Each structure stands twice: as C-alpha cells, then as structure tokens.
Amino acid sequence: MKSCKVCGEEFDPQAPLDDPAMQAGLFMAGQGEWNDLGELCPRCLGSRGLLGMMYCREFDA
C-alpha cells in the first residue's frame, strides 16, 4: 500500500485500472510534465485523466 501524493489516501499501486479516465491519468502520470507514475491513487488518476481528456489537446492523436 502507498499513500497518494495528492490526497493522502492509501491505495494499492498494483490494482487494475479499468476506467478510461484512470487509464488516461496513468498515461499522463508517466509524461514529463507530471512524472509521478505510481504515486497517485485511482481516484486522483481518474480526475487528472478526465480533465486531461477535456482540456489537454496536446494528447489528441
């Protein structure tokens, strides 16, 4: 178990993420801007991913 660096919630970094927003947040966490892969809980990853899908046009394919 780890503590989320954003909200402080305990989470399992090995837990599967099946929500598209969480997967987007996971992708973004590995990018140079954030570089915090494995440090955020699924809820915070989902929030980041949702906002990223709405506003971060640089990730559009």
Side-chain angles (χ1 to χ4, degrees):
M1 298 298 279
K2 288 183 93 171
S3 181
C4 177
K5 90 174 206 179
V6 173
C7 71
E9 180 180 323
E10 292 287 319
F11 72 100
D12 178 7
Q14 300 301 319
L17 302 174
D18 57 354
D19 181 81
M22 290 177 186
Q23 292 174 356
L26 188 64
F27 171 79
M28 293 170 72
Q31 301 303 304
E33 285 181 52
W34 296 280
N35 199 25
D36 53 8
L37 192 59
E39 302 294 322
L40 274 62
C41 70
R43 188 181 71 186
C44 290
L45 283 173
S47 295
R48 179 185 285 173
L50 184 62
L51 289 169
M53 287 188 286
M54 292 190 307
Y55 299 111
C56 294
R57 298 293 105 198
E58 66 268 22
F59 295 121
D60 287 352

